[in-house]
Amino acid sequence: MTSPLRSLASELRADAVSAKAVPALAAGFTSGLALLVAQVAYASLIFSGPLAPYASQGVGLVLFGNFAACFIIALGGGFRGAISGLSPALVIVMAQVGATMGAEGDALFVTTAGALVIGAVATGAGFLVIGRYRLANLVRFVPYSVAAGFVAGIGGAVCLAAMSLMGVALDWTALPALVQPPELWRWSPGVAFGIALYLAMKRWGRPLILPVGVTFAVGAYHLVLALLGISGDAARGAGLLLTSTSEASLWPTLGPADLAYVDWTALAMQFPAVLMLVLIALIVVIMNIAGLEMAANQDLDWNREFRATGLASVVAGLGGGTPASIIVPASLRSKLFGAATRLTGIVAALVIAAALFLGDGMLELIPVSLVGGILVFAGLGMLDQGLVRSRRRLPWTEYGVIVVIAGVTVVFGLFEGVGIGMVATLVFFAVRLSRVDPVRSRFTVRERRSTRARSVPDRVILQEEGERVLGWSLRGYVFFGSVYSLADDLRESLSADPRPACVMLDFTDVSGFDLSAVNVLARFAQSANRAGVKVVLSAPSQQVRAGLKRNLPPAEFAALRVEPNADGALEHCEDIVIEEWKATASMADEHRASILERAADDLDSLLERRTRFEDLMDELRSWLKPRHYAEGEALAGVGVPSEGLQLVTSGQASAHDAAGTRFRQYGPGDAIWPVDPLDAESPAVSADKSCETMVLTPAARRQLEEQEERLAFKLYQYLLAGRFEAGPATR
């Protein structure tokens, strides 16, 4: 811990005396003022209705959470200049907690505050777990259309809540009365202010617009009240101004003695709402981090951001506050104005702290319509982000999902909107995964062969009959939505002309297989068995093997051939084709003659190479040392002393990589090149059966080059030709 703290202290000292200090003070101060105004509006919405008598304490609750988030995320987050605050999305959930709380009297506020505090601590604990165990990649994949639908729906709900706060009855039958003068003057100033503020911020984007606009609006409002002869007390009595309910500072709002007032039954009934708060907070953090990355063109460590946000939420909750997260526009302005330093967030946090400890006398000056206007401003911003901007970047189908989720959230409520959103998320994943072809490639043994060394006639047979082996290389997660296209291909393959002798399925790149996919595969295996087609599986997982064993009769499961890798599966398929051809050709002499005729050129080339090799061995015999290897004995590899270049004279050997997969087979006339016995990545070469080689040691090679230059050149010419003919070899 000491080193990170020292590094942080050094960074802050360096920034304090750098050119960033003045922009940090300016950006932090203006962002702090803007936060202060917005958080007061949010708190007024949360603690409205029956909770209105506790509005000041509610403001303190929200402001402390804002202070903790702004201060801790500024110090611990990865984005320099981060500004944090309460999201409007969380405001709606918190307001719903307050509106549905079953407690009464003094227990109402304490129980509501307790639910919000528990939500903050639970949110923070969850985020800390995500950051501590580096699980951010598992939670960040929320479809954009689903997240945008949440944002738009909550934006609409915020606008409706603002109207309710300004005294408008949210009832379809009351719509005609809204344009009548008594009702019109209740909501029109706030709505006009919110729309004007939204348009001004969208047009110019200056950080001073919000605090200056609020100051101007407050002054103008009080001027109008003075001209009309309405005193402050009268205005508060008429519900035109906020009412202070605190005698001193806004924090702390709760103390140990308040636990006696908690209605534990009512608190327990809010458990679903607390879970909703945690879920919405998760979506908010995911969207804000992703949005900040995109807007700032900067990669962030998501796990670090979750740890910082989690710690801030826990501290806020333990101190009697609410959760908060990074605010993208304010954080981005810090970078644009040259205030990309942690000092910016610290200054903004200090502005909030000043309001917390100087008391809430300032609240009595704020018009209720101004609070409603700020909420309208926030709601319009969310509607713009979720509905307007999304339309330009999404197809109609995905945009329709946004509209549906937003509409359900506004008309029926947040719980219903979240439910539709979760269903939409599942449907999106299923549809999109089903569009991903589970087949990486299709092949026959004409295009893809095993590494086993074959005789010339066998190679000709495979070239001629290779299309009778049909192979599918699978990939990704194969599930009920994507397996049926594969199943159709497999079924059609059984009726192909010519009829396949073998079907190979390579599972090497498959990450998972669900139960439905296993059932489909089992049905295909039964169909193939009835059609007389062998099924060979390459590298299936234990889950796939166990599923097939449960879904197939023992005899049909035993008919499946399972190989640990693709090379072994290909070799087995090749053997099946060659054996079937030989069984058929024994009854047709002209068939055998045709194959031998086509193999004549290759046989000539092979005989010519073998003759050259035997002549070369005779000439080099005095320079070579004979070696004999029993079946399974190592010729080269890790821990095997390297004597030099080995030339196989009889028998057979295979080279395997570090994973144990064979990638080359050697026979008479092939060269096994020396490898470093200390290199863990060196291939291992072992005898498939009794094998004999001739070894050319490094010392003998140097003498050969010095004394028999012509013979050395002849050897190198042979080896080089072998490299080109054989392809990849051990080194």
Side-chain angles (χ1 to χ4, degrees):
M1 289 291 293
T2 304
S3 179
L5 289 178
R6 285 180 178 175
S7 176
L8 178 61
S10 299
E11 179 184 345
L12 292 176
R13 282 197 300 269
D15 288 346
V17 296
S18 71
K20 298 178 182 178
V22 174
L25 286 172
F29 184 73
T30 54
S31 294
L33 290 177
L35 282 176
L36 187 59
V37 173
Q39 304 306 306
V40 169
Y42 295 160
S44 300
L45 174 60
I46 297 170
F47 295 91
S48 59
L51 286 168
Y54 308 96
S56 295
Q57 291 89 333
V59 169
L61 197 77
V62 170
L63 288 184
F64 179 77
N66 197 121
F67 162 75
C70 209
F71 188 78
I72 293 174
I73 294 176
L75 292 177
F79 187 83
R80 269 65 173 175
I83 303 295
S84 304
L86 181 59
S87 167
L90 297 177
V91 172
I92 295 298
V93 185
M94 295 178 185
Q96 190 162 1
V97 170
T100 58
M101 184 61 68
E104 296 179 352
D106 292 336
L108 178 59
F109 170 74
V110 176
T111 308
T112 301
L116 299 184
V117 166
I118 292 172
V121 174
T123 299
F127 289 176
L128 285 174
V129 169
I130 291 173
R132 170 65 179 82
Y133 295 101
R134 309 191 69 80
L135 303 176
N137 284 337
L138 300 180
V139 300
R140 64 191 294 181
F141 299 112
V142 176
Y144 177 83
S145 53
V146 174
F150 280 133
V151 171
I154 292 171
V158 168
C159 290
L160 293 178
M163 298 293 287
S164 177
L165 185 67
M166 291 184 288
V168 174
L170 299 179
D171 188 352
W172 296 109
T173 59
L175 286 179
L178 293 181
V179 296
Q180 300 300 322
E183 290 292 325
L184 182 65
W185 296 116
R186 281 182 175 272
W187 62 267
S188 58
V191 171
F193 176 73
I195 294 175
L197 195 60
Y198 164 73
L199 294 176
M201 288 293 292
K202 189 171 183 179
R203 172 63 179 83
W204 292 288
R206 302 293 183 182
L208 287 173
I209 289 177
L210 182 58
V212 170
V214 168
T215 303
F216 176 79
V218 170
Y221 199 89
H222 281 274
L223 178 61
V224 172
L225 290 178
L227 293 175
L228 294 175
I230 302 175
S231 66
D233 291 337
R236 277 183 284 276
L240 299 177
L241 297 176
L242 294 180
T243 302
S244 172
T245 59
S246 176
E247 298 178 356
S249 63
L250 296 171
W251 186 82
T253 56
L254 296 173
D258 292 319
L259 290 175
Y261 294 98
V262 175
D263 185 335
W264 297 105
T265 302
L267 184 62
M269 296 298 293
Q270 293 296 325
F271 180 72
V274 172
L275 289 182
M276 182 69 65
L277 179 64
V278 175
L279 175 62
I280 297 299
L282 176 63
I283 295 174
V284 166
V285 171
I286 291 172
M287 288 199 63
N288 286 350
I289 297 176
L292 189 58
E293 275 189 331
M294 183 180 298
N297 194 25
Q298 175 181 338
D299 290 330
L300 297 176
D301 182 348
W302 281 58
N303 293 297
R304 177 177 181 173
E305 300 304 326
F306 268 104
R307 288 195 297 271
T309 306
L311 179 60
S313 294
V314 170
V315 171
L318 295 178
T322 55
S325 65
I326 287 179
I327 299 175
V328 175
S331 300
L332 185 61
R333 282 198 298 268
S334 299
K335 182 175 182 178
L336 296 177
F337 296 158
T341 167
R342 301 186 189 278
L343 295 175
T344 307
I346 294 174
V347 172
L350 293 178
V351 173
I352 301 296
L356 271 174
F357 294 105
L358 290 178
D360 69 336
M362 61 177 182
L363 296 181
E364 296 185 339
L365 301 175
I366 300 177
V368 172
S369 59
L370 176 69
V371 174
I374 294 173
L375 292 174
V376 170
F377 161 70
L380 289 176
M382 298 182 76
L383 286 170
D384 179 41
Q385 180 183 356
L387 284 178
V388 180
R389 298 181 190 177
S390 300
R391 179 62 203 98
R392 293 192 295 266
R393 66 182 70 171
L394 293 178
W396 278 106
T397 51
E398 296 194 24
Y399 185 73
V401 173
I402 296 177
V403 174
V404 169
I405 295 176
V408 170
T409 302
V410 171
V411 175
F412 297 101
L414 187 61
F415 284 96
E416 292 79 1
V418 170
I420 291 295
M422 298 303 294
V423 172
T425 300
L426 295 176
V427 171
F428 258 98
F429 276 121
V431 171
R432 288 184 174 177
L433 281 176
S434 65
R435 291 176 180 173
V436 177
D437 190 351
V439 179
R440 180 181 298 279
S441 62
R442 297 168 176 80
F443 57 88
T444 69
V445 294
R446 280 184 175 178
E447 300 91 30
R448 185 175 173 184
R449 300 274 183 87
S450 72
T451 57
R452 178 176 176 178
R454 300 277 185 186
S455 65
V456 172
D458 284 352
R459 292 204 298 269
V460 174
I461 292 172
L462 292 177
Q463 182 62 32
E464 292 295 319
E465 302 289 318
E467 62 183 8
R468 297 193 61 207
V469 174
L470 302 179
W472 282 263
S473 180
L474 309 181
R475 63 179 176 184
Y477 187 80
V478 184
F479 75 118
F480 63 89
S482 61
V483 72
Y484 289 102
S485 60
L486 171 64
D488 291 340
D489 286 350
L490 293 175
R491 281 194 297 269
E492 290 176 5
S493 70
L494 298 180
S495 57
D497 186 22
R499 181 185 61 82
C502 179
V503 169
M504 173 184 160
L505 298 176
D506 183 11
F507 291 81
T508 303
D509 296 324
V510 172
S511 59
F513 227 79
D514 78 349
L515 180 61
S516 298
V518 172
N519 288 334
V520 170
L521 182 58
R523 290 199 299 271
F524 167 72
Q526 291 176 308
S527 300
N529 192 39
R530 289 193 296 269
V533 178
K534 302 293 185 181
V535 178
V536 180
L537 308 181
S538 164
S541 66
Q542 181 61 38
Q543 173 197 7
V544 172
R545 292 197 296 270
L548 289 173
K549 189 173 183 179
R550 287 193 300 267
N551 285 276
L552 287 173
E556 295 196 357
F557 179 75
L560 290 175
R561 180 62 178 251
V562 178
E563 294 290 343
N565 52 59
D567 189 67
L570 281 168
E571 180 181 345
H572 185 71
C573 291
E574 292 169 356
D575 290 340
I576 291 174
V577 171
I578 292 171
E579 289 171 6
E580 285 199 6
W581 182 90
K582 289 180 177 178
T584 304
S586 63
M587 296 178 291
D589 292 338
E590 66 276 5
H591 197 181
R592 179 181 295 274
S594 174
I595 289 294
L596 292 176
E597 181 180 351
R598 287 193 290 270
D601 292 340
D602 289 338
L603 286 171
D604 288 343
S605 299
L606 177 63
L607 290 174
E608 180 183 353
R609 178 173 171 76
R610 289 297 299 272
T611 301
R612 288 174 58 200
F613 178 73
E614 291 172 3
D615 292 343
L616 190 60
M617 291 299 98
D618 288 339
E619 294 185 67
L620 291 171
R621 195 163 301 279
S622 59
W623 305 92
L624 304 175
K625 295 181 179 180
R627 290 289 183 268
H628 177 80
Y629 299 94
E631 182 178 347
E633 188 175 353
L635 284 73
V638 180
V640 180
S642 177
E643 294 186 88
L645 176 69
Q646 300 194 63
L647 300 167
V648 181
T649 56
S650 67
Q652 202 170 61
S654 292
H656 300 80
D657 60 20
T661 302
R662 184 184 68 192
F663 65 89
R664 173 80 190 274
Q665 196 169 48
Y666 301 95
D670 292 331
I672 302 175
W673 295 79
V675 298
D676 184 358
L678 301 179
D679 185 0
E681 299 297 323
S682 294
V685 183
S686 58
D688 296 332
K689 52 187 177 181
S690 180
C691 181
E692 292 183 354
T693 68
M694 300 295 287
V695 179
L696 178 65
T697 64
R701 177 180 57 79
R702 287 191 293 270
Q703 291 181 1
L704 176 66
E705 291 173 348
E706 294 173 357
Q707 300 176 21
E708 293 285 350
E709 182 176 337
R710 180 197 60 80
L711 184 56
F713 177 77
K714 186 176 180 180
L715 171 64
Y716 296 153
Q717 188 179 33
Y718 176 83
L719 294 174
L720 186 60
R723 279 292 185 96
F724 281 117
E725 293 173 6
T730 60
R731 298 183 184 275

